[in-house]
Each structure stands twice: as structure tokens, then as C-alpha cells.
Amino acid sequence: MEKSKPTFPPASSISRLVYTVKLSRALPVLLCIAALSACTSTERGTASPAGTPTQASPTGSPSASSGQGLNALDACELLKGISSTVPTQTPKELGQHECEAVVNRDHTIAVNIRPELGLADYNLGSQAEPSDTTIGSHEGKLVKKSLTDLDCTVVIGVGEKARVDVVGISDASLDEACSLATEVATAIEPELP
């Protein structure tokens, strides 16, 4: 008698349902972070017409020091630091400057630190609805439908060439996603340079 090979996902219908639900919760967050990561350039320098000399920013400039200040921050520590304001499950590191945390059954939050990309470098998705905003003492953008109909990103400018993206994802409504992203952005803003 041959043993049957284990299947992945597990064969029972309840196991498949649990697997599908878990995958459907994680997939939008991962796609959102991947898309935000892929939509921006990390190339340093200043654009200029061919043959035109350029001047580099001095290393002591505000934008350089802001980016260096962001390099020292940990996205997961920022989320852990606001747990009394926005309780979350244990944050999960997604990359060097990227972290996500489940807030509850219907909401997930992600923080993405961009030490070399400024507010002007944020690329809007095809359905995005951006508006200017201020978070604490920082200029920013509120981007509804940044990647899907139920996500919202608050982009906090930190100097000319650095920023922090706070992505709220909701299974319930766009307004709830934007409310969550704004609440988290407001809570972490005092920690930013």
C-alpha cells in the first residue's frame, strides 16, 4: 500500500479555507510594499541636460542629514513605539526599512522608510487620488487608492530627498484605511528628523 503524498495547501476544505484567507490577507500588503518599492528610483544625483555641469549637494545639507537620520530609524521600532496609540500585533520586518503589522481582522499598517527618496519622488498609481497634507511639522501627501480601492498612503516628506510612507490597508473601507494611515503617521511623526 502506497502512502499518499502530502499536499500543499492541506487537503481538507477547512484547511484550504484557512490557507486561502491567510494568503488573501498577506498578498495585498506584500503587493503594496513591492509596488511602492518598485515605483521609485534609488539613483542619486541631480538631473541636468547633457553637457551642463551639475553641483552636488554638500553633505551637511538638510536633505542629506534628514536621509542620514532616517537611516538610523527602524520601521518596526516605530510601530512598536506607538502601540499604546494604535495597538497592533507584533510587527514583521519586510526589508531593511520596511515593516508591517496587523491592527485587527480588517486592518493592516505598513511603514516604509525612504532615506534617499523625497516627497517629489513618490510615484502615483493609475487610480491614485493624491492631496497635499501636513503631518506635524512635515509636508506630506495623502494618497487614496495608492494601489487598490481599499488602501491609503500617507507620505511624509523628511527634507528634500527623504520620506516615510505609511500605508493603511483595510478590508472594510477606503475611509478606514486613510484614517488608520493618518493616525499612525501622526503618531510616528515626532520621531522623524
Side-chain angles (χ1 to χ4, degrees), residues 70-168:
L70 283 184
N71 265 329
L73 291 178
D74 180 299
C76 288
E77 289 302 317
L78 287 174
L79 284 175
K80 288 177 189 174
I82 63 165
S83 62
S84 62
T85 307
V86 181
T88 65
Q89 293 179 10
T90 303
K92 296 178 192 172
E93 186 174 329
L94 300 176
Q96 182 179 4
H97 294 294
E98 302 171 22
C99 190
E100 73 163 8
V102 173
V103 177
N104 59 38
R105 187 176 75 111
D106 294 326
H107 301 92
T108 302
I109 194 74
V111 173
N112 192 342
I113 298 171
R114 301 287 190 183
E116 296 176 1
L117 297 169
L119 191 59
D121 297 318
Y122 184 83
N123 288 325
L124 299 171
S126 62
Q127 63 183 2
E129 299 172 4
S131 60
D132 292 334
T133 189
T134 302
I135 303 295
S137 63
H138 293 85
E139 291 181 22
K141 289 205 177 292
L142 175 70
V143 184
K144 293 181 178 183
K145 300 180 182 179
S146 46
L147 291 172
T148 71
D149 289 340
L150 293 176
D151 66 58
C152 188
T153 303
V154 175
V155 185
I156 307 169
V158 183
E160 189 176 314
K161 284 291 180 187
R163 71 173 197 254
V164 175
D165 301 343
V166 180
V167 183

